Amino acid sequence: MSMEEVVSHAKETAEKVTAQFPEAEVTASDDGWVKVKVQAGRWLDLATFLKESSGFDYMFYITAVDWKDHFTVVGTVRSMTTGVWAEFRTDVTEQGGDHPWPALASVTGVWPGANWMEREVYDLFGIDFTGHPDLRRIMTPEGFVGHPLRKNFTDVRTDRPRLVPHR
Amino acid sequence: MVVEDGGPTAPSGPGSLIQVPAAPTNADGDLVIANYLPGVAATSLKTVMNWGRANSLWYMLFGLACCAIEGLMAGGAARWDYDRFGMFFRSSPRQSDLMFVAGTVTEKMAPRIRTIYEQMSEPRYVIAVGACASSGGPFKDSYAVVPGVDKIIPVDIYVPGCPPRPEALYYGAIKLQEKIMKEKWHKKQQAKAGARA
Ligand code: SF4
């Protein structure tokens, strides 16, 4: 598939997404990328739309950025038929009350490959993916306290329980 | 060579069957048994055992990060080749004498390293390859890194570098062989027997 075709597919996809999500910021770039920014409430709708209506069948990654006052969750998917990449992002903030973590709908039901990536974001940034089938820590050792990629993370190494006590 | 106090006066000369050398000592005055019995060498059991151990170090690969590529893969491949020192890699800790811990030791990996070390049969040796395994290296302050594998298992040789070249590792391996040659294992056995009694 030539680059021109990929770019025209990207523009087409951007128009479709704009029609479906008028409040979202959508751009299509000249290198075959579609970039979408939505409200957190429409995250799952957007994911389903990208998978079902635009053919984005390959989940590439999910990650997050800590801006101190809020987090941005970023997902990247690709269509294996048209070769278009799509990057979709949303802002989430910490909630007060009895559920202080930032929460976002899980896209595991749309792309099963997102399972471990959401676990990683949960482990390192402390973002709760509601509807995730198995939201456990994946990278830090058992018994770890805190979310190390948060800007306000402080290491409590000295009084943390260790799997193997140091000699 | 002249021997003052005589020495054995075995029949020697053109007519005798056994040719016994006239002088059983060397220039320093030490008795040389080989002069009596050609093909026989005398040494201590300790030296023979240590010699055998030092020259057949079968090593266990424990590659954790970049150092594994340099030290274990490049070092074990044909261009450098550990086999020259009688060292072969075994993928089972139960057949290994030596473990190379090559790379960054994380808190999560620490129990696995400890288990594998405990599965090795004695005598067992450990070489810490690179800055990370020796001290934590560039990740010393990280929340996830054990600052040096010696925090969880005993280490015999530390090879510095980030990563060390295979030559540096060979130097470390040769140092370990020297260390094994000096080992007084019979004393250890005696101490163990004493502890049991
Ligand atoms: S010492 Fe350097 S090369 Fe070796 S594992 Fe650490 S960072 Fe990688």
Side-chain angles (χ1 to χ4, degrees), chain A residues 125-142:
Chain A
F125 288 94
I127 292 168
D128 186 6
F129 288 92
T130 49
H132 190 286
D134 181 27
L135 200 62
R136 286 181 291 133
R137 287 183 181 272
I138 188 169
M139 305 193 101
T140 52
E142 294 85 345

mmCIF file of all heavy atoms in Angstrom, chain A residues 125-142:
data_model
loop_
_atom_site.group_PDB
_atom_site.id
_atom_site.type_symbol
_atom_site.label_atom_id
_atom_site.label_comp_id
_atom_site.label_asym_id
_atom_site.label_seq_id
_atom_site.Cartn_x
_atom_site.Cartn_y
_atom_site.Cartn_z
ATOM 1 N N PHE A 125 1.367 3.917 37.452
ATOM 2 C CA PHE A 125 0.754 5.234 37.603
ATOM 3 C C PHE A 125 -0.431 5.238 38.555
ATOM 4 O O PHE A 125 -0.926 6.302 38.905
ATOM 5 C CB PHE A 125 0.283 5.753 36.240
ATOM 6 C CG PHE A 125 1.391 6.171 35.327
ATOM 7 C CD1 PHE A 125 1.906 5.303 34.400
ATOM 8 C CD2 PHE A 125 1.933 7.449 35.420
ATOM 9 C CE1 PHE A 125 2.930 5.683 33.568
ATOM 10 C CE2 PHE A 125 2.962 7.835 34.587
ATOM 11 C CZ PHE A 125 3.465 6.953 33.657
ATOM 12 N N GLY A 126 -0.929 4.080 38.922
ATOM 13 C CA GLY A 126 -2.065 4.049 39.831
ATOM 14 C C GLY A 126 -3.352 4.524 39.211
ATOM 15 O O GLY A 126 -4.107 5.272 39.829
ATOM 16 N N ILE A 127 -3.604 4.137 37.966
ATOM 17 C CA ILE A 127 -4.871 4.489 37.325
ATOM 18 C C ILE A 127 -5.753 3.247 37.311
ATOM 19 O O ILE A 127 -5.319 2.172 36.894
ATOM 20 C CB ILE A 127 -4.631 5.028 35.900
ATOM 21 C CG1 ILE A 127 -3.925 6.383 36.004
ATOM 22 C CG2 ILE A 127 -5.947 5.175 35.151
ATOM 23 C CD1 ILE A 127 -3.389 6.886 34.722
ATOM 24 N N ASP A 128 -6.965 3.424 37.775
ATOM 25 C CA ASP A 128 -7.876 2.287 37.935
ATOM 26 C C ASP A 128 -8.654 2.088 36.641
ATOM 27 O O ASP A 128 -9.346 3.003 36.192
ATOM 28 C CB ASP A 128 -8.817 2.592 39.104
ATOM 29 C CG ASP A 128 -9.688 1.400 39.419
ATOM 30 O OD1 ASP A 128 -9.475 0.347 38.818
ATOM 31 O OD2 ASP A 128 -10.580 1.543 40.271
ATOM 32 N N PHE A 129 -8.516 0.914 36.030
ATOM 33 C CA PHE A 129 -9.272 0.631 34.813
ATOM 34 C C PHE A 129 -10.500 -0.167 35.198
ATOM 35 O O PHE A 129 -10.414 -1.351 35.506
ATOM 36 C CB PHE A 129 -8.400 -0.126 33.811
ATOM 37 C CG PHE A 129 -7.344 0.740 33.205
ATOM 38 C CD1 PHE A 129 -6.088 0.820 33.775
ATOM 39 C CD2 PHE A 129 -7.614 1.514 32.087
ATOM 40 C CE1 PHE A 129 -5.122 1.642 33.226
ATOM 41 C CE2 PHE A 129 -6.647 2.332 31.536
ATOM 42 C CZ PHE A 129 -5.403 2.393 32.113
ATOM 43 N N THR A 130 -11.645 0.505 35.183
ATOM 44 C CA THR A 130 -12.855 -0.177 35.616
ATOM 45 C C THR A 130 -13.297 -1.166 34.544
ATOM 46 O O THR A 130 -13.262 -0.865 33.350
ATOM 47 C CB THR A 130 -13.981 0.835 35.880
ATOM 48 O OG1 THR A 130 -14.052 1.711 34.759
ATOM 49 C CG2 THR A 130 -13.721 1.657 37.112
ATOM 50 N N GLY A 131 -13.674 -2.346 34.988
ATOM 51 C CA GLY A 131 -14.080 -3.389 34.050
ATOM 52 C C GLY A 131 -12.934 -4.266 33.602
ATOM 53 O O GLY A 131 -13.114 -5.174 32.799
ATOM 54 N N HIS A 132 -11.720 -4.026 34.129
ATOM 55 C CA HIS A 132 -10.586 -4.891 33.783
ATOM 56 C C HIS A 132 -10.761 -6.232 34.487
ATOM 57 O O HIS A 132 -11.097 -6.272 35.669
ATOM 58 C CB HIS A 132 -9.286 -4.221 34.208
ATOM 59 C CG HIS A 132 -8.060 -4.896 33.686
ATOM 60 N ND1 HIS A 132 -7.606 -6.080 34.195
ATOM 61 C CD2 HIS A 132 -7.219 -4.564 32.684
ATOM 62 C CE1 HIS A 132 -6.524 -6.435 33.517
ATOM 63 N NE2 HIS A 132 -6.266 -5.537 32.606
ATOM 64 N N PRO A 133 -10.524 -7.367 33.784
ATOM 65 C CA PRO A 133 -10.805 -8.672 34.404
ATOM 66 C C PRO A 133 -9.841 -9.038 35.535
ATOM 67 O O PRO A 133 -10.197 -9.840 36.401
ATOM 68 C CB PRO A 133 -10.670 -9.659 33.243
ATOM 69 C CG PRO A 133 -9.860 -8.949 32.218
ATOM 70 C CD PRO A 133 -10.146 -7.498 32.375
ATOM 71 N N ASP A 134 -8.618 -8.494 35.538
ATOM 72 C CA ASP A 134 -7.618 -8.996 36.481
ATOM 73 C C ASP A 134 -6.620 -7.885 36.778
ATOM 74 O O ASP A 134 -5.472 -7.943 36.348
ATOM 75 C CB ASP A 134 -6.916 -10.205 35.847
ATOM 76 C CG ASP A 134 -5.880 -10.811 36.768
ATOM 77 O OD1 ASP A 134 -6.033 -10.668 37.983
ATOM 78 O OD2 ASP A 134 -4.921 -11.408 36.251
ATOM 79 N N LEU A 135 -7.076 -6.845 37.476
ATOM 80 C CA LEU A 135 -6.225 -5.672 37.665
ATOM 81 C C LEU A 135 -5.298 -5.875 38.863
ATOM 82 O O LEU A 135 -5.620 -5.500 39.981
ATOM 83 C CB LEU A 135 -7.095 -4.424 37.847
ATOM 84 C CG LEU A 135 -6.399 -3.095 37.575
ATOM 85 C CD1 LEU A 135 -5.942 -2.999 36.141
ATOM 86 C CD2 LEU A 135 -7.322 -1.938 37.900
ATOM 87 N N ARG A 136 -4.140 -6.505 38.587
ATOM 88 C CA ARG A 136 -3.124 -6.709 39.627
ATOM 89 C C ARG A 136 -1.851 -6.012 39.192
ATOM 90 O O ARG A 136 -1.667 -5.699 38.026
ATOM 91 C CB ARG A 136 -2.825 -8.208 39.791
ATOM 92 C CG ARG A 136 -3.873 -8.991 40.495
ATOM 93 C CD ARG A 136 -3.445 -10.434 40.607
ATOM 94 N NE ARG A 136 -3.437 -11.092 39.308
ATOM 95 C CZ ARG A 136 -2.440 -11.854 38.864
ATOM 96 N NH1 ARG A 136 -1.379 -12.052 39.601
ATOM 97 N NH2 ARG A 136 -2.498 -12.424 37.681
ATOM 98 N N ARG A 137 -0.941 -5.834 40.154
ATOM 99 C CA ARG A 137 0.377 -5.303 39.797
ATOM 100 C C ARG A 137 1.090 -6.292 38.890
ATOM 101 O O ARG A 137 0.909 -7.499 39.009
ATOM 102 C CB ARG A 137 1.204 -5.097 41.064
ATOM 103 C CG ARG A 137 0.749 -3.917 41.876
ATOM 104 C CD ARG A 137 1.656 -3.751 43.054
ATOM 105 N NE ARG A 137 1.238 -2.630 43.870
ATOM 106 C CZ ARG A 137 1.652 -1.376 43.660
ATOM 107 N NH1 ARG A 137 2.480 -1.109 42.678
ATOM 108 N NH2 ARG A 137 1.229 -0.407 44.440
ATOM 109 N N ILE A 138 1.937 -5.765 37.999
ATOM 110 C CA ILE A 138 2.595 -6.673 37.055
ATOM 111 C C ILE A 138 4.109 -6.540 37.095
ATOM 112 O O ILE A 138 4.818 -7.506 36.861
ATOM 113 C CB ILE A 138 2.041 -6.430 35.634
ATOM 114 C CG1 ILE A 138 2.555 -7.481 34.657
ATOM 115 C CG2 ILE A 138 2.352 -5.052 35.131
ATOM 116 C CD1 ILE A 138 1.857 -7.459 33.324
ATOM 117 N N MET A 139 4.650 -5.365 37.414
ATOM 118 C CA MET A 139 6.102 -5.196 37.304
ATOM 119 C C MET A 139 6.800 -5.064 38.644
ATOM 120 O O MET A 139 7.893 -5.590 38.813
ATOM 121 C CB MET A 139 6.416 -3.961 36.462
ATOM 122 C CG MET A 139 5.749 -4.049 35.129
ATOM 123 S SD MET A 139 6.344 -2.865 33.989
ATOM 124 C CE MET A 139 7.429 -3.824 33.019
ATOM 125 N N THR A 140 6.220 -4.365 39.578
ATOM 126 C CA THR A 140 6.910 -4.162 40.856
ATOM 127 C C THR A 140 6.789 -5.435 41.700
ATOM 128 O O THR A 140 5.882 -6.233 41.512
ATOM 129 C CB THR A 140 6.293 -2.982 41.617
ATOM 130 O OG1 THR A 140 4.888 -3.187 41.684
ATOM 131 C CG2 THR A 140 6.581 -1.678 40.939
ATOM 132 N N PRO A 141 7.737 -5.629 42.631
ATOM 133 C CA PRO A 141 7.705 -6.858 43.433
ATOM 134 C C PRO A 141 6.479 -6.921 44.332
ATOM 135 O O PRO A 141 5.858 -5.897 44.638
ATOM 136 C CB PRO A 141 8.990 -6.795 44.251
ATOM 137 C CG PRO A 141 9.459 -5.400 44.165
ATOM 138 C CD PRO A 141 8.940 -4.837 42.908
ATOM 139 N N GLU A 142 6.171 -8.131 44.752
ATOM 140 C CA GLU A 142 5.032 -8.339 45.623
ATOM 141 C C GLU A 142 5.207 -7.530 46.907
ATOM 142 O O GLU A 142 6.299 -7.452 47.456
ATOM 143 C CB GLU A 142 4.910 -9.827 45.970
ATOM 144 C CG GLU A 142 4.568 -10.734 44.793
ATOM 145 C CD GLU A 142 5.778 -11.167 43.979
ATOM 146 O OE1 GLU A 142 6.854 -10.560 44.133
ATOM 147 O OE2 GLU A 142 5.638 -12.110 43.190
#
